[in-house]
Amino acid sequence: MARTPLDRIRNIGITAHIDAGKTTTTERILYYTGRSHRIGEVHDGTTTTDYMEQERERGITITSAAVTAEWKGHRINIIDTPGHIDFNIEVNRSLRVLDGAVFIIEGVAGVQPQSETNWRLADRYNVPRIIFINKLDRTGADFYRAAETLKEKLGITWVALQLPIGIEDSFKGVVDLVGMKALIWEGDELGAKFHEAPIPDDLKDRAAEYRQLLLDTALSVDDAAMEEYFDKGDVSVETLKRCIKKGTISGAFRPVLCGTAFKNKGVQPLLDAVIDYLPSPVDIPGIKVAAAEGEEEEAERRVIKADEKAPFAGLAFKIINDKYGNLTFVRVYAGVARTGDMVLNTTKGHRERIGRMFQMHADKREEIKEVYAGDIVAFVGLKDTGTGDTLADPADPVVLERMAFPVPVIDISVEPKTKDAIEKMTIGLQKLAGEDPSLRLRTDPETGQTILSGMGELHLEIVIDRLKREYGVEANVGAPQVAYRETITRPHTEVYTHKKQTGGSGQYAEVKIVFEPLERNQGIVFENQVVGGAVPKEYIPAVEKGIRAQADTGVLAGFPTVDFKATLVDGKYHDVDSSALAFEIAAKACFREGMKKAGPVILEPIMDVEVTTPADHVGDVVGDLNRRRGVIQSQDMAGTSVIVRAHVPLKEMFGYISNLRGMTKGRASFSMQFHHYDPVPRQIADEIMAKSA
Amino acid sequence: MRLRWVRGRAAEGDGPDDPDRTREWVGCDDAGEAIARVVRVSGPVRAGWRLRYAVARDAEARVVELRPPVDRNRRWLIVIGGRVVGRAALPLQAVRGAEAALGGG
């Protein structure tokens, strides 16, 4: 691999709502950058980044494929990410390690729910981004309306760098507001060329208006550029580009470009924008090290900057098990690593040797001997490194900020069709769960069944399909179940004495525990406030272990209990009869008794549902959502369609698509994503409890 | 009336999220006399013992509280003769607003 200077590297993600054209855009980029010699089409199942069989069959992107491309002397590492909410984890971990992102917005619908979710994720990681309004050749496309949804739904300051020339069938190019010229494509076909031309007369006034808005917005971030403007009445293209890059990186505004990737229009200027406006690894502040135990999240922390001379530091952000073995995708933040080097996994505290290293091109790979700060590569040979782990030079053992992963909302029970495949299935599922942190595997303590938890029906369906294709295990799968949780609503203090002293060595332990509700997503917090040795130190971990173990089986219907704090405040022990086991048993019983008196409730996942329906069916759609315990949030017109947004319990959404199709003669579509957990109504809770009993 | 605009006062903010709290451009006539200024002061600002959320600076650079509070989308104030005569979202728009207020383009 030829060495590319740091300032000529761009690590970018391409992200959007499902079907907005991410993979098609990536394929065009690969074609125009010469990496791919023919254009792959999603609907033909021949794309380069969708290399898994299921991706090609279903026309969706499941895993993030890392692809490297060259454009005008720059290396662009692109991660194509899935649009479907079930694979949100892929977007999450990609954004975490990227320096910039291209957000693709559909030219007909504008900002859609998954775009919003991904946008908020990008906000979390301060990822600079540019926006590409795609599919302007489609019937109903409207650049200005789609751009307005950026303000309405994302609340951002956007600034157009281009305006469309023509729309729908007659879309033929763009006005470049930076160079004040028209770019006209000479056809729709593969590799279509474009030429520069004067701005069409009918667009001159509008171009002047948007150019002034661009100057007003972009120059506001740079005083020297303002002075140039005051002196000359305009600024040079270089100055304007410098300001756009500065504003893009700081997030002061978001530049907007447009085109239609499918019809091969607008892709080359998008590539120019990637290298002109998105940052190289040296343009960004760097990555913070993780907060030390007990340290405030907001506290000032050391920042690792992109520097090849610094000690090695990298973050593992993706694991893939394929026919060649374990591939660990690593973003290198600092230093250099060579094949055979020993690095320290600072998250887990053990050493790892780098066997081989590869530059990845979707499913193809190119072996390399060295990696440098700024690179995104795959390591082979790491034994125990998971997603989110830091690999560092043993001489400077930094731990980088970890990733946050979403909570799974759907459970299914899985068992192999033949008994002898149990071991194979367990190994397969463990490997798949190792690749995908949004997939959880557990055994139901009561039934002994293997329970797989994931982000949605499609997510779990793909996992079962991979189990069959990659591990040769055919599985029987139970109906999807909502991943209910239990929690408490009021504080309660419980004292429990575990006593079995009827001859021989006995068991004695007494615990006094305060149970308190916590905010959502706080999990389980255990605190020890025992003073004076009422419970000896060596028994405290047993108390915590007992509570955490018992919390897996809630007191109402056996669902995991979450979002509570247990504080051990007092207890008693016996010099001879007390043991860790006695305290663990006491803690478990104390939990069972205490939870019943702390106002336990069952929580259910509530989904943010967005239905796009023709206006004449909106009454049916809204009525149906109400019957599903939905709470309508908004109804907005979008051309001739209405977008209905509602919060609906996940339980009521199984099989919704067939109902919706029936109701609207197949003309409506919907998407949904997890929004929050809410207590279930009393009547439903009774039904759930009766079922579990 | 076209003015010659030069950098005015500037105050840095507290950190990377607040890099330039106060920025000002001063519009001068041909004789170099300050005729107008456009200024952005984002709150909150501590003035003496008080924390003020919607503020500007007067001609002597004293912090003054604005009532009603500044519209977040029109944070640039157009100041002519010590009086706020208009507001704008962006500095160049404020500059054009000041020149228009003084008459002519």
Side-chain angles (χ1 to χ4, degrees), chain A residues 212 216 220 223 226-227, chain B residues 7 23 25 91-93 96:
Chain A
Q212 188 60 56
D216 289 352
S220 70
D223 286 352
M226 291 274 285
E227 283 171 332
Chain B
R7 288 188 209 197
R23 289 173 70 201
W25 291 92
L92 283 181
Q93 291 169 350
R96 287 198 296 277

Side-chain angles (χ1 to χ4, degrees), chain A residues 151 212-213 215-217 219-220 223-224 226-227 229-230, chain B residues 2 5-7 20 23 25 73 90-93 95-96:
Chain A
K151 174 87 183 159
Q212 188 60 56
L213 201 55
L215 291 174
D216 289 352
T217 309
L219 304 194
S220 70
D223 286 352
M226 291 274 285
E227 283 171 332
Y229 181 83
F230 290 137
Chain B
R2 292 301 298 270
W5 292 89
V6 295
R7 288 188 209 197
D20 42 18
R23 289 173 70 201
W25 291 92
N73 294 318
L90 295 161
L92 283 181
Q93 291 169 350
V95 162
R96 287 198 296 277

Side-chain angles (χ1 to χ4, degrees), chain A residues 279-292:
Chain A
S280 74
V282 287
D283 293 325
I284 52 170
I287 183 170
K288 277 185 187 171
V289 301

Side-chain angles (χ1 to χ4, degrees), chain A residues 48 105 279 364 438 477 541:
Chain A
T48 306
I105 303 293
K364 296 182 189 67
S438 63
V477 176

